Amino acid sequence: MAGTPDDRRSTARGDGAVATDASLPPSAVDPKVRDAEEKKWTPGKIALWVAIALLGGVAWFMLAIIRGETVNAIWFVFASVCTYLIGYRFYSKVIERYITKPDDRRATPAEYKADGKDYVRTDRNVLFGHHFAAIAGAGPLVGPVLAAQMGYLPGTIWIIIGVVLAGAVQDYLVMFFSMRRGGRSLGQMAREELGVIGGTAALIATLLIMVIIVAILALVVVNALAESPWGVFSVGMTIPIALFMGVYLRFLRPGKVMEVSLIGFVLLMAAIIGGGIVAETPWGTDIFTLDRVTIAWGLIVYGFIAAILPVWLLLAPRDYLSTFMKIGVIVMLALAIIVVRPEISVPAFSEFASRENGPVFPGALFPFLFVTIACGALSGFHALISSGTTPKLVEKERQTRYIGYGGMLMESFVAIMALVAAISIDRGLYFAMNAPAALTGGTVESAATWVNSLGLAGVNISPDVLAETARNVGEESIVSRTGGAPTLAVGLAHIMQQFIGGTAMMAFWYHFAIMFEALFILTAVDAGTRVARFMLQDSIGNFVPKFKEASWRPGAWLCTAVMVGAWGAVLLMGVTDPLGGINTLFPLFGIANQLLAAIALSVCLAIVAKRGTFKYLWIVALPLAFAAVVTITASYQKIFSPTPAVGYFANNAAFSKALADGKTEFGTAKSVAAMEAVVRNTAIQGWLSVIFVVLSIIVIATALLATVNAFRNRADGTAVKDTEDPARPSRVFAPAGLIPTPAEKELMAEWDKLPPGARFERAGHH
Amino acid sequence: MSTGLAAVTKGFRGFARYLGGVLGADAYAKYLEHHQAAGHGTPPLGEREFWRDRTDRQDSNPQGRCC
């Protein structure tokens, strides 16, 4: 790559030309000192990294090569953690050194735009938790569960390798570039870097993708709560609890966030226990046993109201609860898996790994495994979080590697733990829970017969086991509880009861898991609807300026109604789909999420090229190429595959033909109305796939064009317009990672010696 | 024994403070700190007004939550 017109020295671009205040200690560790520190390999350091590499190697060997009867869950923990550590220490350092080139002498937006409200310098460890809570939700808990149909190994490899080379790279780059632009959003960056066409395509794609993502997350909740009086009661109670917390914070004790969160948490636990009692009573069963369509409508109405209510009343308090639960649940899950160390009997590759007619989701391993697991490996949605909120809070530029790259590694670890929890249950049980009712027949007897007829090695399930499991977790039935959440809940209950409480506690743990998943999803639905509404208002505002006013009620309500109507329609489509909504719609969710990742990576590619870094462009091009190939292949198959189970239009044609032939039932659709529903749904899903892929191709193409232009301009010396905010000198210092290095400690001591008055003076003047 | 207890208390306090930071419970304290450092002539918002303002601004400035 000798011919690339790279900028060899970053100082040539003026990065280094920041005049720092001489009366203050340096705001960055001297690059020479840092380099020497990084390159100095003491025997202890070498031994540590050799040990990590060896342990990781052994763990991967146990997972991938050894074919015993079972494999212990602890190897998943070692394989993932060791790989993350190596990826973080070595690969993200390469990205830092050659692509982002952070400069701690430059002030971050949190410093030069400081306002004490939106732009606030935040301790790196606190911000790590904050960012993690914003990116992690139900996604990494659901996708890996569904992907377990192919065996544990394909999913494990994709989650761990994917995050190191793709997901964490995207999060880190988007966060860094947004930080250099004062916390601009992905949409704004797309417009700046890709021009009007690319930017507009990115905006429309983002809006549509959000609709799909919200709809399918909502579908997961509906499936988890259908016919479950306990679940409906306890999840329903989160609404009054959140309202109470909102009023408490607004009027009774403003600002007592920790206090109200603790109260909320106690009430939440009471709601779970209360749900068990209420579900036992005849009136409780009567009131709270709801079918899927009713719950879906409830969710739609709720979604609309929640999105127009003021934030303080419902969204903010529930966000506190959700964050509180998120951290608690993840610590609990990790502890339980490490303490219990369940034996996994699922094969590395299942019978469905080489087929394309899996009952959980249809399609071949490539590309569909890679879209089924989106969150946890590569999630485009993160780009919306990594740009915007977090960059406005970062204290020092070098911390973005820890927060952006490290935060995503953490989410990947959550996905691995969800996978372990899901595969720790019996395989027969797994398929009985995750196949649509059209296949299992819906009763324990028919489900057991169907599962045993699949001819899966070592699978022989009896109706009694299905009935007993349902009884243990306090549900009427667990047959065909698709969507991933119930399976994870059973897996978690199975592990947790060995840790605390025994079988008697299984029902509590099951509903605890359902509760936190529902809580995460409802928060995402609220926030997603609001964000999408604002994007829509902003877009319409370009033509009708009145819509840009956020406080104009009719506009806000109309746009909210449009967004809720859009995801509500997709949700209802999924709920009433005779083929089983998750089965047909989940691939669309994954494709949408990864197309967004492709869009985000395209923007990053153009930015990196414009910065003049061509030699290491492959670091961005690699995940972009992979995401593009996976999503475009998956979309292509969804659109053109002649196999009805895979191709939307093939299915559409098959059902249309059956209708034309005058048949009254066809495949899994048992009536003419159901057949017509299939025809309608497949047409909508098919066209959505077409629109997504076309928009994404436009975005990727404009990004490639921008990259080529940047290369040409750099080669013939044309000046490239810089979209970064101008560099300003920093007047603060903080370490970059979790543990300060000796040089950082020295510098911190120097800053500590400074009289407090001299430290931040005038820092926030603007 | 008492030093052990003190260490546990300290550890718990630290954890509580961290959790509070992640939730954003310390937002008002940070606002006051900023206000003082910036040396504005106007008095800072009261605690109640600050939190009111904070959630009201989120109404027109929604933050995404991921899946």
Side-chain angles (χ1 to χ4, degrees), chain A residues 114-118 120-122 125-126 129-130 134-135 137-140 217 250-251 254-255 257-258 310-312 319-320 323-324 375 381-382 385 527 534 550 765, chain B residues 15-16 18-25 27 30-31 33-34 37-40 45 47-48 50-67:
Chain A
D115 62 0
K117 292 170 179 174
D118 295 320
V120 184
R121 284 184 296 115
T122 307
N125 293 317
V126 168
H130 190 273
I135 61 171
L217 285 175
R250 181 90 167 182
F251 301 109
V257 171
M258 271 299 264
V311 165
W312 65 265
D319 202 30
Y320 292 136
T323 306
F324 209 84
C375 306
F381 217 81
H382 292 189
I385 318 285
F534 273 94
H765 258 319
Chain B
F15 175 73
Y18 177 76
L19 199 62
V22 171
L23 287 172
K30 297 190 82 167
Y31 162 76
E33 196 179 290
H34 163 82
H40 289 298
L45 293 175
E47 190 168 15
R48 189 175 286 260
F50 171 80
W51 287 100
R52 229 163 235 262
D53 172 68
R54 184 178 163 86
T55 42
D56 290 351
R57 273 179 315 113
Q58 278 173 21
D59 271 331
S60 50
N61 225 335
Q63 296 176 9
R65 273 286 179 269
C66 196
C67 34

Side-chain angles (χ1 to χ4, degrees), chain A residues 622-635:
Chain A
L622 181 80
L624 172 58
F626 188 77
V629 168
V630 163
T631 48
I632 293 171
T633 314
S635 304

Side-chain angles (χ1 to χ4, degrees), chain A residues 275-291:
Chain A
I277 299 165
V278 168
E280 292 283 301
T281 62
W283 58 269
T285 318
D286 273 358
I287 299 173
F288 295 110
T289 307
L290 304 173
D291 62 43

